[in-house]
Amino acid sequence: MRFEGDHKTVKQHFSIRWQLPLSYAGIAFFAVVILGVMLLTLLQNHYKQQERQFLLRHAQHVKNAIGMDWARGLPLDHRLRWLSLLPQTHIELTNPDGEVIANSEAPNMFIISGTIAIDDVVYSPQDVPSINPNPPIQLNIIPFNDLRPERIPGVTIVYDETYGFEIIDSPLEVRFEREYSSQVVSIPVYSPQDQQFLGTITVSGGPAVGRDVLKSVTNGWLMTGGIAVLLAAGIGWVMSNRITTPLTALTYSTQQLAAGNLSIRSTIDRQDELGILAHSFNRMAEQIENNIQTLKRFVADAAHEIHTPITALRTNLELSVENTPSPQNQQALNQVKQLERLTNDLLDLSQIESETNILFEPINLAKLMGELSEIYASRAEQADLEYVLILPSEPVVILGSLSRIQRAFSNLLDNAVKFTPAGGQITVKLSQKGDVIIQDTGIGIPSDDLPNLFERFTRGRNAAQYTGSGLGLAIVKAIVDLHRGHIWVESDSTGTRITISFPHP
């Protein structure tokens, strides 16, 4: 099992900085889509209704124009072609049995001559001689296959947006450029004399009203909608920055406080909830700093005050053991020595944690580990342990306090020798990157004890029979933190592996 002794930073996979502008953009997008769909639907229904009304009026006009001729049984195909020409409709007549009796067929291209009046519907001269539009449109109507230049007078260019044709004079022609409606209307026809049902007039096609308007509205909707979404995203980004910038600063302050920087304070100065939060954080940090400093001063003072009488007591017990040897005196001397180590460790830990402006110097880790190994290799040999040292060929230099780093490695090597049974192995390895690995084949550390391994007075449940103060690893952790390094532990029943990494200068 592995335990990392430094503070981990929580990764933000999807920050509020992005959530807010995306939310604004999403709301704007859905609003634009809903409004656009509603608008286009209303316009489309409106224009479809206009197309249907146009076809109904045209069907009524066809009914009025051919009703008498239909009742008399006269041919109607020619009339239907004329009636469907300019409106560009398709007209079909069916008898009561549903059989087609006349059809305008596909509209043909004509050259126009004579007087054509355009009111709500386009008419041929013979259909509506009494209609007098204002102003009338003077055109020439000639069958296309009878086109001769000498029969064409000068004609003014005319473009009718309602029916979609254009008249030009070189050569004179009619061009139908509109899309056609998909609407179909049918009306019944009765005889003017006896109201007998003659059949049905079905009109389809005709101008597709409003297609250009719908296209323009759609293009405008897409353009303005895109601008609205981008604008909303921009506003969301500005608002998110106003919120997340102080939150980021406050998050950094909390991380620094959690990492042991008790003097950190938030610099947020706002008159809102974030300002209140920052103020509360500063009060909390100040209270924590005061409490910890008070506790540290108490521990340091207590250790210092206890150290003097303990030293005197130890001297007296040593003299007593020397003059009057007995198991009781020896046991008392051992207890005093352990108490003296405890007070010394507390003093060291207090000094390490209170150091803020310590002066660092270049340290050759390869040389330091070599010197320490000379001492601990001898101790390992006396304990019937194999000591293996692996160093890089090049120097490994870091910046730090030589005495503090030496103390950290000494504590770790003391533990390795202490907790490794005879016949075991201790391996010390230094990499070129500056990582120091101390591995042993000792009793290991129970997995339940790993999370609290670097706390004060914490000892493994399987280490009760070994002497110690429970402050050794806490001192190591404090020294590593002082040098902004990292330490992590991997341990099981086969041994323990501790890795320390220091930053490069």
Side-chain angles (χ1 to χ4, degrees):
M1 183 175 179
R2 171 173 171 162
F3 173 76
E4 189 169 346
D6 53 0
H7 299 277
K8 297 181 181 179
T9 301
V10 178
K11 295 183 179 179
Q12 297 180 349
H13 296 286
F14 195 46
S15 171
I16 297 177
R17 187 184 297 270
W18 292 105
Q19 291 182 27
L20 198 58
L22 289 179
S23 298
Y24 275 48
I27 294 172
F29 173 77
F30 285 114
V32 166
V33 169
I34 293 173
L35 292 176
V37 170
M38 291 177 62
L39 176 62
L40 291 177
T41 301
L42 290 174
L43 285 176
Q44 191 174 35
N45 291 337
H46 171 73
Y47 287 125
K48 283 184 176 180
Q49 185 65 25
Q50 284 192 336
E51 293 173 3
R52 184 171 181 81
Q53 291 297 325
F54 170 78
L55 293 178
L56 285 172
R57 290 195 301 268
H58 186 54
Q60 189 63 43
H61 167 67
V62 173
K63 174 183 175 181
N64 295 335
I66 67 171
M68 294 296 296
D69 292 345
W70 193 351
R72 296 171 185 170
L74 299 177
L76 300 174
D77 291 320
H78 181 70
R79 297 290 301 279
L80 293 182
R81 291 191 185 96
W82 277 108
L83 290 170
S84 65
L85 171 63
L86 293 182
Q88 283 295 280
T89 57
H90 178 265
I91 307 172
E92 187 176 84
L93 307 182
T94 57
N95 61 20
D97 296 329
E99 298 175 351
V100 178
I101 59 175
N103 194 322
S104 65
E105 299 180 351
N108 295 318
M109 184 176 290
F110 282 82
I111 301 302
I112 299 178
S113 169
T115 300
I116 300 295
I118 300 181
D119 193 3
D120 284 341
V121 186
V122 177
Y123 306 96
S124 62
Q126 59 268 38
D127 291 326
V128 284
S130 62
I131 291 181
N132 184 21
N134 184 27
I137 298 180
Q138 303 294 327
L139 303 173
N140 294 328
I141 299 180
I142 305 171
F144 183 73
N145 53 11
D146 193 23
L147 174 63
R148 294 192 300 272
E150 61 271 15
R151 297 189 58 182
I152 305 175
V155 179
T156 303
I157 295 177
V158 177
Y159 180 71
D160 189 296
E161 294 186 352
T162 303
Y163 302 105
F165 62 88
E166 182 177 325
I167 300 173
I168 60 178
D169 57 0
S170 180
L172 188 60
E173 61 179 340
V174 180
R175 295 189 303 191
F176 300 96
E177 300 177 343
R178 286 261 181 197
E179 297 180 15
Y180 294 102
S181 171
S182 60
Q183 299 286 325
V184 179
V185 299
S186 298
I187 60 172
V189 180
Y190 298 91
S191 173
Q193 293 85 2
D194 55 9
Q195 296 301 311
Q196 180 183 359
F197 180 60
L198 300 177
T200 303
I201 298 176
T202 301
V203 181
S204 60
V209 180
R211 293 296 191 272
D212 292 339
V213 176
L214 285 173
K215 289 180 181 178
S216 299
V217 170
T218 301
N219 292 335
W221 166 58
L222 292 175
M223 181 179 298
T224 55
I227 294 174
V229 171
L230 292 177
L231 183 61
I235 295 174
W237 179 259
V238 173
M239 294 300 297
S240 70
N241 278 337
R242 285 181 55 83
I243 296 174
T244 57
T245 298
L247 283 178
T248 302
L250 190 57
T251 300
Y252 173 77
S253 299
T254 57
Q255 291 174 344
Q256 289 295 306
L257 182 64
N261 185 2
L262 301 179
S263 62
I264 190 69
R265 296 293 184 271
S266 174
T267 58
I268 299 174
D269 185 16
R270 294 173 52 150
Q271 304 301 318
D272 55 11
E273 289 79 359
L274 291 174
I276 296 174
L277 181 61
H279 179 68
S280 300
F281 169 81
N282 289 340
R283 291 180 57 189
M284 178 191 69
E286 183 177 1
Q287 187 67 36
I288 291 174
E289 183 180 21
N290 291 337
N291 292 341
I292 292 180
Q293 291 299 334
T294 300
L295 182 60
K296 287 181 178 179
R297 283 195 299 270
F298 170 77
V299 172
D301 293 343
H304 180 74
E305 293 298 326
I306 293 174
H307 187 268
T308 300
I310 287 178
T311 302
L313 182 59
R314 175 184 175 182
T315 302
N316 293 333
L317 286 173
E318 287 177 346
L319 292 175
S320 178
V321 168
E322 183 178 348
N323 296 329
T324 312
S326 69
Q328 293 81 5
N329 289 343
Q330 186 62 48
Q331 183 179 6
L333 179 60
N334 293 337
Q335 293 294 331
V336 168
K337 287 182 179 180
Q338 184 175 351
L339 183 59
E340 185 178 27
R341 285 194 299 269
L342 176 61
T343 56
N344 289 335
D345 288 344
L346 281 174
L347 283 173
D348 289 342
L349 183 58
S350 299
Q351 291 174 359
I352 293 170
E353 290 179 338
S354 62
E355 289 176 334
T356 56
N357 297 320
I358 187 172
L359 182 63
F360 285 174
E361 58 181 335
I363 299 174
N364 187 347
L365 282 181
K367 180 180 178 182
L368 175 61
M369 298 309 298
E371 293 174 352
L372 287 175
S373 294
E374 292 180 1
I375 300 173
Y376 285 95
S378 176
R379 291 181 53 184
E381 183 179 359
Q382 294 174 7
D384 193 20
L385 301 175
E386 181 182 1
Y387 190 95
V388 178
L389 175 63
I390 303 175
L391 298 177
S393 57
E394 299 293 330
V396 179
V397 179
I398 64 169
L399 292 179
S401 169
L402 177 60
S403 60
R404 297 304 185 195
I405 292 179
Q406 188 174 17
R407 174 66 185 277
F409 289 131
S410 296
N411 284 4
L412 294 177
L413 291 172
D414 278 334
N415 287 346
V417 173
K418 182 194 304 182
F419 295 110
T420 303
Q425 183 183 73
I426 298 174
T427 302
V428 178
K429 180 179 179 181
L430 172 64
S431 70
Q432 193 65 54
K433 295 189 303 181
D435 294 342
V436 179
I437 300 173
I438 299 177
Q439 185 171 359
D440 62 55
T441 59
I443 62 175
I445 303 171
S447 58
D448 293 341
D449 295 333
L450 285 176
N452 301 317
L453 188 63
F454 297 103
E455 300 293 332
R456 299 185 182 199
F457 305 109
T458 298
R459 305 191 69 202
R461 290 173 298 172
N462 57 347
Q465 59 182 342
Y466 298 90
T467 59
S469 62
L471 294 174
L473 291 180
I475 292 174
V476 172
K477 178 65 168 56
I479 294 173
V480 172
D481 290 343
L482 181 66
H483 290 79
R484 300 187 181 278
H486 301 278
I487 181 171
W488 55 93
V489 180
E490 298 169 273
S491 184
D492 54 27
S493 59
T494 62
T496 301
R497 175 188 174 100
I498 298 179
T499 303
I500 297 179
S501 176
F502 293 103
H504 290 284

